[in-house]
């Protein structure tokens, strides 16, 4: 969507803050021995206590309130009986609707103890996302985001998953502009317009560049089974720079 009023901005800030706080709480609750369903129940409770509805349930009939993926899975994992173990890499994606507005955020969490290689991957996953955010300004090409992220990845020896992309959001979970690459796509001639609301969510990996859907019809896993992380914010492009909507405070 494109923001057209202060009310739009405030409503987006409200749902953005809620999904961010939910993600933060789920990350803090994460511990070995708990199931992904127990973790999802925490997220559901926080969202529903504020009157929000799970966006993947609402939009797609997803079998859970949040997406929880335990490595090597990286996205759209279904909460269930799987127990989280020490050393796991867990991705949590929280998106929800409130008063007709949507917020979308996500992060990967390494459950200690983990290798320095995985710690570095998590640190640099966040840095990759912020490199894309810094490229946002009205009038700039949309592919400047992917150009910046890809530049960071190449400089630091990482790959990017290339069949998962960012997207427009606001009045629905996925809307125009659809499929915003987090790698450089020179054929993409779209521009960032003032007030545009969208996500930036690179999937940074150690050599992987593709995910496959598992037999459950939801879960996505890198083809080679290698580690990958995702970090995601929802933002709005303004002449004074991007406003990050999915901050917990």
């Amino acid at each position: 969507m494109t923001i057209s009023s202060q009310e739009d901005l405030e409503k987006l800030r409200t749902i953005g803050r809620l999904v961010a706080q939910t993600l933060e709480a789920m990350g803090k609750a994460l511990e070995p021995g708990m199931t992904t369903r127990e973790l999802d129940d925490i997220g559901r409770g926080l969202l529903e206590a504020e009157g929000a509805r799970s966006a993947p349930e609402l939009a797609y009939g997803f079998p859970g309130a949040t997406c929880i993926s335990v490595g090597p899975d990286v996205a759209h994992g279904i909460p269930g009986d799987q127990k989280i173990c020490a050393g796991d890499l867990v991705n949590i994606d929280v998106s929800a609707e409130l008063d007709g507005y949507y917020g979308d955020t996500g992060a990967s969490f390494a459950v200690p103890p983990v290798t320095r290689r995985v710690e570095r991957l998590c640190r640099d996953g966040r840095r990759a996302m912020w490199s894309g955010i810094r490229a946002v300004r009205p009038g700039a090409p949309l592919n400047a985001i992917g150009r910046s992220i890809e530049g960071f990845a190449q400089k630091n020896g990482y790959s990017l998953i290339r069949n998962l992309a960012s997207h427009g959001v606001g009045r629905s979970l996925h809307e125009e502009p659809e499929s915003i690459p987090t790698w450089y796509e020179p054929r993409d001639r779209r521009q960032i317009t003032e007030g545009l609301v969208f996500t930036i969510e690179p999937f940074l990996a150690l050599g992987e560049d593709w995910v496959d859907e598992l037999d459950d019809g939801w879960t996505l896993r890198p083809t080679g089974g290698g580690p990958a992380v995702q970090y995601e914010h929802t933002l709005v492009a303004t002449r004074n720079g991007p406003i990050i909507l999915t901050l917990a405070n």
Side-chain angles (χ1 to χ4, degrees):
M1 71 175 283
T2 297
I3 285 178
S4 59
S5 67
Q6 186 64 28
E7 181 184 14
D8 282 344
L9 180 57
E10 293 307 316
K11 294 282 190 180
L12 287 166
R13 282 189 189 275
T14 298
I15 185 57
R17 187 181 306 114
L18 177 57
V19 295
Q21 290 171 343
T22 300
L23 176 66
E24 182 178 76
M26 291 174 72
K28 288 179 178 178
L30 192 60
E31 62 180 8
M34 75 186 311
T35 67
T36 55
R37 180 180 289 110
E38 288 170 335
L39 187 60
D40 184 62
D41 287 343
I42 293 171
R44 181 185 297 280
L46 291 168
L47 294 174
E48 292 183 352
E50 300 299 325
R53 297 184 292 175
S54 161
E57 273 189 343
L58 183 63
Y60 302 112
F62 180 75
T66 65
C67 299
I68 304 174
S69 309
V70 180
D73 303 336
V74 298
H76 302 171
I78 300 172
D81 296 329
Q82 182 177 9
K83 287 191 176 182
I84 294 163
C85 301
D88 278 344
L89 189 56
V90 182
N91 180 268
I92 304 173
D93 195 305
V94 181
S95 56
E97 178 272 341
L98 181 65
D99 293 334
Y101 293 84
Y102 287 73
D104 191 2
T105 189
S108 295
F109 300 86
V111 183
V114 294
T115 65
R116 291 187 66 183
R117 182 170 173 248
V118 170
E119 286 181 349
R120 180 175 175 266
L121 178 62
C122 292
R123 179 200 70 191
D124 288 343
R126 291 188 183 276
R127 293 173 68 195
M129 175 187 66
W130 282 102
S131 71
I133 290 172
R134 286 191 293 270
V136 173
R137 61 177 179 81
L142 199 59
N143 67 11
I145 297 167
R147 189 171 197 165
S148 180
I149 294 170
E150 186 172 289
F152 173 87
Q154 289 180 341
K155 180 180 178 182
N156 291 281
Y158 296 103
S159 57
L160 291 161
I161 301 296
R162 293 176 180 258
N163 61 329
L164 291 172
S166 306
H167 55 89
V169 65
R171 283 297 197 169
S172 59
L173 180 56
H174 294 100
E175 57 185 60
E176 293 290 341
E178 296 180 350
S179 190
I180 304 169
T182 57
W183 58 92
Y184 182 49
E185 177 48 75
R187 294 169 296 181
D188 189 345
R189 303 298 184 186
R190 295 174 293 178
Q191 283 196 326
I192 300 170
T193 54
E194 186 170 357
L196 187 65
V197 185
F198 59 99
T199 70
I200 291 182
E201 50 176 313
F203 285 78
L204 197 70
L206 293 170
E208 303 284 355
D209 63 2
W210 203 260
V211 292
D212 301 311
E213 186 176 275
L214 302 190
D215 291 341
D216 63 18
W218 293 102
T219 307
L220 300 176
R221 177 180 296 175
T223 301
V229 295
Q230 176 247 27
Y231 294 89
E232 175 184 15
H233 272 312
T234 297
L235 56 89
V236 54
T238 79
R239 66 184 67 183
N240 296 317
I243 297 173
I244 311 302
L245 299 169
T246 43
L247 295 174
N249 298 306

